[in-house]
Each structure stands twice: as structure tokens, then as C-alpha cells.
Amino acid sequence: MNLTMIELRKIFRSRVVLFAVLFLLIIDIFVYGNTGNSYYAAFGKDSKEHIAEAQEDGAYFKGEITDQWIAGVTGEADAIRNDPANQLQGDEREAMKQKLADQGFDYDTVEEKYPGAFIKEEVLSSRSYTRYEPAESAAMFSENALKLMDLQVSAIREGCSGRKAEALERAAKEAYQSLANDYTPVYDYNLGYGWMNNIMLCQQYILGLMLAVGLSGIISDEYLKKMDAMIQVTAYGRRKTALAKLKAGLLFSVFAWMLVMGLNLLFTTVIYGWEGWDSYWQDWIFITAPFQWSQGKAMLVGMGTSLLGVIYFASAVMMISSLCKTPAPSMLFSFGLLMAPAVCEQYDSFKGTAYFPASLMRGEYIWMSYRPVFLGGIVIDEQMLILTAGVGLSAVCMLVTIRNFERHQVSN
């Protein structure tokens, strides 16, 4: 049997590993069903009704957000708002005018400036009207992009000066103006993609714990059981065994990632569906980056980033395992590395949380905000530095793991 497969079998034959994987998969299912940010819980009648309504509205408003599309959406919404039957009349209207005047608004112009205040409450809360709110928000896509540009420029001017400020300001303007003027966003139902992003943002703990349990003893167990001296004189030898362990650890890591990701994809397929691949990505609250991506492309980028984070984390855990004589220190290190971003985020002065493997495992997380860096006289996206660091440090950890394993055997 291939040596790598022998090492992989060692991992899967551990009852502790199997129990941990099964337990964490159950936790993942629980998290999927109960995590809610901008989305409803995945189970229950109310959620099903919400999804059905969102799909219906997505199909109704689906299209490229052009001037013609915007005119159609706002025209229909205005027709509801301006319908006399939907507005307060008589004493109720006069009472509303007086109420607004008491709050500091001009009595004579309040009707003209704030017509929405005179729409009946039952109309404002009706589905026939509220269904237009997401579409009208989408109609502000270009305006929102330019507002974000102004905020970025203001932050740059406050944070630096000189050549650096000029370059960063120019880059921000180019990125957001291109998003506003050159990119044609698409409106569509996209709860499936939004939910996958939401789940990936908190799945680093599920994946990290799986890898910590599975890999903390992959090399230190050999030291603990005094097997490293025997390995030295086998036909496989030190280097081949080290490489086999490294490959087995990476295969286990990829398997764990595929298992968790596959489970989430399956649930999303069954519950939400995958309509809206081409719909725009930004929500202007949490996702403010100027990348001209659709929801589908953003999800693929996030999945690739998450996989790199898994390999990065696994490499670091195996490196520590090669340095320790028992699995316990490696396990503690894994937990610390997993929690490091959450701890460091409490300190505003620390700016490097995105470089931790746990941050990469969160998928779209590092891509959600605009991260320009002035380096060597040019402006680049910090995400490129983060990915480069992830790949480079993963390779370093693997090389150190092999070297440590070999040297430890020599010392015996």
C-alpha cells in the first residue's frame, strides 16, 4: 500500500478523529439552521414563505440595472405612493403635517419634501409595497458606489499625505468610478449565495477544530510512541515518511474542507436554490469593495480562499506537531491560532488579522472591504499580499516540518 495512504489510514482509524469529525458536522448543521444575519433561519414556515416571496420578487424584477430598469421600478413604486387611495386624507393628513411641524419641519413644504410620511401605515407595511424596497435600493447602485468613493477618499486624506495619499486617492477614484460607470449590475434573487457567504464567515471554527484534532499528533505521536527511531531504519526512510505524513495531512485537510463545504452546498441547494449567479455582490454595508464581481464569482473566490486558509492552517499545525514530543502542545497552538484573529480584532492598533489562516478560512471575508496598499511607488490590493503570504508561509511550514522530522530522528 502507498505510504501516504498508510498515513492517511492512521488518521481516519483514530476514534477521537472520527468522533470529532462527526460531532463537528452536527454542529455545522446546527449553525446552518440557526445562524442569521441578514437572512432568516433555514427552517420553519416563516422562512419558507420568505424564500418563496424573495424568489417571486427576484423573478419579477430580474434584469440589468439600467436607466430603463430604474425608471420602471421607481415608476411602479411612485404609482403606489401617489395613489390618493393610499394616502392620508382630511384630518389624518392635517394631524401628520402638524406632527412633523412640531418636530421642526416646515409646515408649508413638508408635503412636497416628504410625501412618504403621508402614506397610510397599512400600505407601507403591505407586501405589494415592501417588495419594491430591495429593488429601489438596487437602483441606487451607482450612487452608493460614488458615496463609498467619497468616504474612501476622505479616509485616505485623513490618514496620510504627499505622494502616498495622491496615489491611494487616485486608485480609489478609479476603482469606484469604474464600478459606478463601467459595470452593469444585475438584480435577481440571490439568497443562496448570500447564505453561503454568511456560513463561510463562521465556518473557520468547524474546519479549524477538525484539523486540530486530526493533525496535532500526526508527527508528535511518532515521538511519543518512540516510533521515529524505527522509521529511520525502514525501507521508506526519514524523508519519504515525512513527505507521506505531509501529504496525508493535506489530503485529510482537503477532505475535511470538501465535507463541510459539500454539506453547506447541499443544504443551500435544497433550501435556497442557486438562482442569481449574475446578480451584483455589494450590499454597501458589509460588502463595500469595488470588485466588479457577480454573486457566483464572489462565491468561487471565497471558496478558493477558504481552501487556501485550510492548507495554510494545516501546514502550521503539522509544523508545530513536528516540534513537540506530544500532541498536547500542538493542540493548544491550534486553538490559539484559530482564535487569534478574534482576539487581535479587539485592538484597533493591530492591522494584521487578515493574514492569519483562520481569516482566510472565512472565504469572502478578506475581499469584502477595500484594502489598498502603497508599495514600491504603486498601489495594489492588500488581498494579493495576503494570498501571497498564505502560499509562502504554507510552503515554509511544510519545509520546516520535513526538516524537523529528519533532525529529530538523527538526534535519536
Side-chain angles (χ1 to χ4, degrees):
M1 182 182 292
N2 183 281
L3 184 57
T4 301
M5 297 308 298
I6 293 174
E7 295 295 336
L8 192 59
R9 283 185 62 187
K10 286 183 183 179
I11 298 174
F12 282 108
R13 287 174 66 180
S14 169
R15 293 181 179 178
V16 174
V17 173
L18 292 178
F19 174 80
V21 170
L22 180 60
F23 176 75
L24 289 168
L25 285 177
I26 294 173
I27 294 297
D28 183 63
I29 295 172
F30 176 80
V31 169
Y32 193 102
N34 290 275
T35 299
N37 186 0
S38 56
Y39 303 98
Y40 287 76
F43 307 105
K45 182 179 179 180
D46 291 342
S47 177
K48 292 178 181 178
E49 289 178 357
H50 165 69
I51 295 169
E53 289 176 356
Q55 289 174 327
E56 179 184 338
D57 294 345
Y60 181 79
F61 293 111
K62 180 178 180 179
E64 292 185 346
I65 302 177
T66 60
D67 291 341
Q68 182 178 0
W69 184 90
I70 294 172
V73 169
T74 55
E76 291 181 17
D78 284 340
I80 296 174
R81 285 189 285 260
N82 297 330
D83 187 343
N86 295 332
Q87 295 190 353
L88 299 174
Q89 302 293 339
D91 292 341
E92 288 182 321
R93 191 176 188 87
E94 187 62 30
M96 177 59 71
K97 285 181 66 176
Q98 189 59 53
K99 179 181 178 181
L100 294 173
D102 292 342
Q103 295 176 3
F105 296 95
D106 182 72
Y107 181 87
D108 296 324
T109 61
V110 69
E111 288 183 284
E112 179 182 348
K113 291 183 177 180
Y114 305 100
F118 298 91
I119 301 174
K120 294 178 180 178
E121 184 64 33
E122 59 267 26
V123 175
L124 290 174
S125 60
S126 68
R127 168 152 165 72
S128 61
Y129 180 74
T130 57
R131 69 182 308 199
Y132 283 90
E133 292 175 354
E136 286 196 289
S137 176
M140 300 290 292
F141 185 92
S142 294
E143 289 86 344
N144 287 330
L146 295 176
K147 287 179 182 178
L148 257 296
M149 179 190 73
D150 292 338
L151 291 174
Q152 291 289 346
V153 169
S154 296
I156 291 168
R157 290 174 178 173
E158 291 177 3
C160 58
S161 59
R163 182 185 172 195
K164 178 180 178 180
E166 292 176 1
L168 290 174
E169 183 177 334
R170 183 167 56 252
K173 287 182 177 180
E174 289 177 357
Y176 282 100
Q177 284 176 350
S178 179
L179 181 67
N181 302 321
D182 302 331
Y183 175 62
T184 303
V186 173
Y187 184 88
D188 197 0
Y189 165 86
N190 56 28
L191 284 188
Y193 300 96
W195 192 259
M196 272 300 295
N197 177 31
N198 211 30
I199 289 299
M200 280 195 284
L201 288 175
C202 59
Q203 73 176 8
Q204 77 273 21
Y205 299 114
I206 302 292
L207 289 167
L209 290 173
M210 281 188 183
L211 301 185
V213 174
L215 302 179
S216 290
I218 192 169
I219 294 177
S220 55
D221 267 346
E222 304 293 355
Y223 303 157
L224 182 65
K225 297 174 182 178
K226 307 298 183 183
M227 295 297 295
D228 50 318
M230 294 181 59
I231 291 172
Q232 185 172 356
V233 297
T234 62
Y236 293 115
R238 298 168 299 181
R239 177 170 289 273
K240 287 185 178 179
T241 302
L243 286 171
K245 287 182 175 294
L246 204 59
K247 292 177 183 177
L250 293 176
L251 286 173
F252 172 76
S253 303
V254 173
F255 170 79
W257 179 83
M258 292 177 64
L259 198 61
V260 172
M261 197 65 67
L263 190 62
N264 293 335
L265 287 170
L266 176 63
F267 283 150
T268 302
T269 300
V270 172
I271 297 171
Y272 292 101
W274 293 109
E275 299 97 320
W277 175 278
D278 294 323
S279 60
Y280 70 88
W281 180 49
Q282 288 80 5
D283 64 8
W284 309 117
I285 301 173
F286 302 106
I287 304 176
T288 58
F291 301 117
Q292 298 178 18
W293 294 348
S294 66
Q295 287 280 0
K297 183 176 180 179
M299 187 185 74
L300 293 180
V301 171
M303 291 174 67
T305 304
S306 173
L307 179 58
L308 174 59
V310 164
I311 294 172
Y312 183 10
F313 185 83
S315 302
V317 173
M318 288 189 286
M319 180 187 72
I320 299 301
S321 181
S322 72
L323 290 168
C324 302
K325 293 184 178 180
T326 63
S330 181
M331 185 77 73
L332 291 174
F333 169 82
S334 302
F335 293 156
L337 188 61
L338 193 59
M339 296 303 299
V343 174
C344 292
E345 282 177 355
Q346 305 304 313
Y347 302 92
D348 293 337
S349 59
F350 188 83
K351 304 297 183 182
T353 55
Y355 289 85
F356 285 104
S359 295
L360 292 176
M361 284 194 285
R362 298 182 71 185
E364 296 178 24
Y365 169 72
I366 68 167
W367 303 97
M368 291 167 62
S369 59
Y370 184 50
R371 298 170 178 265
V373 175
F374 186 70
L375 188 65
I378 60 173
V379 178
I380 61 175
D381 293 319
E382 189 183 14
Q383 287 88 345
M384 298 299 105
L385 297 180
I386 296 170
L387 295 182
T388 301
V391 172
L393 291 174
S394 296
V396 169
C397 288
M398 294 178 197
L399 292 174
V400 172
T401 300
I402 295 171
R403 183 169 175 268
N404 288 339
F405 189 67
E406 289 182 323
R407 284 195 167 190
H408 190 276
Q409 292 184 68
V410 169
S411 64
N412 283 285

